[in-house]
Each structure stands twice: as C-alpha cells, then as structure tokens.
Amino acid sequence: MSTIQVKITASPELSEILVAELGEIQFDIFEDSETGVVAYCPEIDFSEEALTEIMSRYGLETYETNRIEKQNWNEVWESNYDPIRIEDLVLIRASFHPSEPGFQLEVVINPKMSFGTGHHETTSLMTKALFDVDLTGKSVLDAGTGTGLLAFVAKKRGAGFVRGFDIDEWSVENSVENAGLNDCAEIPFGLGTIADEDETEYDVLLANINRNILLAEMADYSARIKPGGLLFLSGFYTEDIPLLLESAEKQQLNFVAQASKNNWACLQLRKKP
C-alpha cells in the first residue's frame, strides 16, 4: 500500500493546528521540518478534496504532495532515522545503528510504513511511562501497535503475555519483523481494531492513537482491562486532557498521572476495582 506525503510550510503554532486538522482526515504520521510539517496518509484513505479544504481555510495555497511507494520507505527512513535516547532508560535504534552502553533497555526498530519509532513525542511519552509501573508478569495489550515498540518495551520490562494489533497490514508485518530483532517472537500481532479483539481482560492496555479514536473506543478499552488495571493513553494535546478524562470517568477509569512534551500529552488511568 502506497502512502501520500504532504509537505506544508507553516509557522510552529500553525503546524500544531494542522496536525490536529489533518488527523481528522486520516493522516496519522507527522514529522517536524525546518519550514513546517510533513504529514503522511495511507493512499487508500487520502482525500484531495478534504486536504484542499483545510489548506484553503488556513490560507495555505502552496504545499507539496508526493506519492511514496511501499518499497521505498526503508530508503527514506535510513537517510533520516537517528537513534532515540530516552534519558538512561532506553535506546531505540535501527539494526544499521551500533549498540550503545548506559541504557536499561535497548530496542531495535527497523521502521517501514509504521508510526512508532520513538521520534514523535507521544511514543516517547508512552515509552517513558512504562518505566513508572511494575510490569512483572502482567498481561499487556498494545492497541495500534505501529512498529511494535511499546509491546517490546513492555515485554523487556518483565510483562508476561503481550499482544499488539493495528488496522494497517503493513504495520503488523513490520511488528512481526521487529519482534525477531528483539527476541520477542512470542508476541502475537494481529490485524484489526479494538472491536475485533476478543473479550480477554488485560492488566495494562496501551493506546497511542489520536483523540477522536480514543474517545470513540474508550468503552472498548475499559471492557478489556481488569478491575484495578491500567490504561495508558497518548496521541492528543494537553488541552484535550479534560475531554479525555471526562470520557474515561464514564467508563470507570480514574486519573492516576499525566505527562507532557511539546504540548503532547500522556495519561495514566486506573479502572475501578
């Protein structure tokens, strides 16, 4: 499946707004650039009309649209992908990067068409949050797994059973490949949404997606968390926190902690016993 890339010249303030707007029309991967933002959308979900409407609304008459073939993605990432160092907790690197000492964990991610390399603030926030809890022997469900990164971190942090799923077939393929690079081949990765998952309840559920999907699926998340279990959410801005908390409370999910980075937010919630 090919991907549509859109390069937009905009101020940092407008770029943040555009990320939220484009997220509403199926763009799901974003990169900061020196001149604005670069956004990616699966070609099958791309709407030229919807994109033009957003650009016109903000007076952005000039932007660049490219079609990226699936097989070219590795080449694109190798030229731009640097290792991620999250404090002294975890080193996230590709297989073509050397290992480095001084980290509690090391995760190898060869990204393809998938979101979740650790470069985006939300993935970094979620990764760090997994070091704040004891996962020893816990069951973990990674909703919207992307590259499989969070599933691997959870497993390396001592989780017992870990499962991940994503709506993107290419993401599932990538996660399976990355699992082999991290001695995590036992982690099952499936294709679908939370609604396609069986009714198994987990100790911990991870969902780094976007605000609207989180709101729409909150009841499904709660239904798959054990009483007293934890839900980690990210993929939204700090100003969205009250809306997410309101939705969560209706599903018996109580606030535990929050973190933020460059206005992106992460929430930790606990299901009522």
Side-chain angles (χ1 to χ4, degrees), residues 107-205:
V107 180
V108 179
I109 296 293
N110 284 346
K112 295 186 179 177
M113 296 292 286
S114 310
F115 174 84
T117 62
H119 286 78
H120 194 275
E121 287 89 343
T122 60
T123 312
S124 178
L125 285 167
M126 290 283 280
T127 301
K128 187 176 179 181
L130 291 178
F131 284 81
D132 294 333
V133 295
D134 182 7
L135 295 176
T136 306
K138 300 292 179 63
S139 57
V140 178
L141 180 63
D142 185 12
T145 194
T147 61
L149 169 63
L150 296 178
F152 306 141
V153 172
K155 188 66 179 178
K156 290 170 182 282
R157 288 273 298 139
F161 177 75
V162 179
R163 172 174 169 76
F165 66 85
D166 204 286
I167 62 171
D168 186 350
E169 183 176 355
W170 188 239
S171 171
V172 176
E173 293 175 8
N174 191 203
S175 296
V176 171
E177 293 172 4
N178 287 328
L181 300 174
N182 290 280
D183 296 323
C184 292
E186 72 275 20
I187 297 179
F189 291 99
L191 184 67
T193 70
I194 188 70
D196 299 313
E197 292 292 301
D198 62 30
E199 297 180 357
T200 299
E201 293 183 340
Y202 291 80
D203 295 303
V204 179
L205 194 150

Side-chain angles (χ1 to χ4, degrees), residues 23 40 45 58 67 76 92 94 107 133 189 201 213 217 240 264 273:
Y40 299 85
D45 297 325
Y58 291 96
R67 182 175 183 268
V76 173
I92 304 167
V107 180
V133 295
F189 291 99
E201 293 183 340
I213 293 179
E217 298 183 343
D240 296 320
W264 290 97

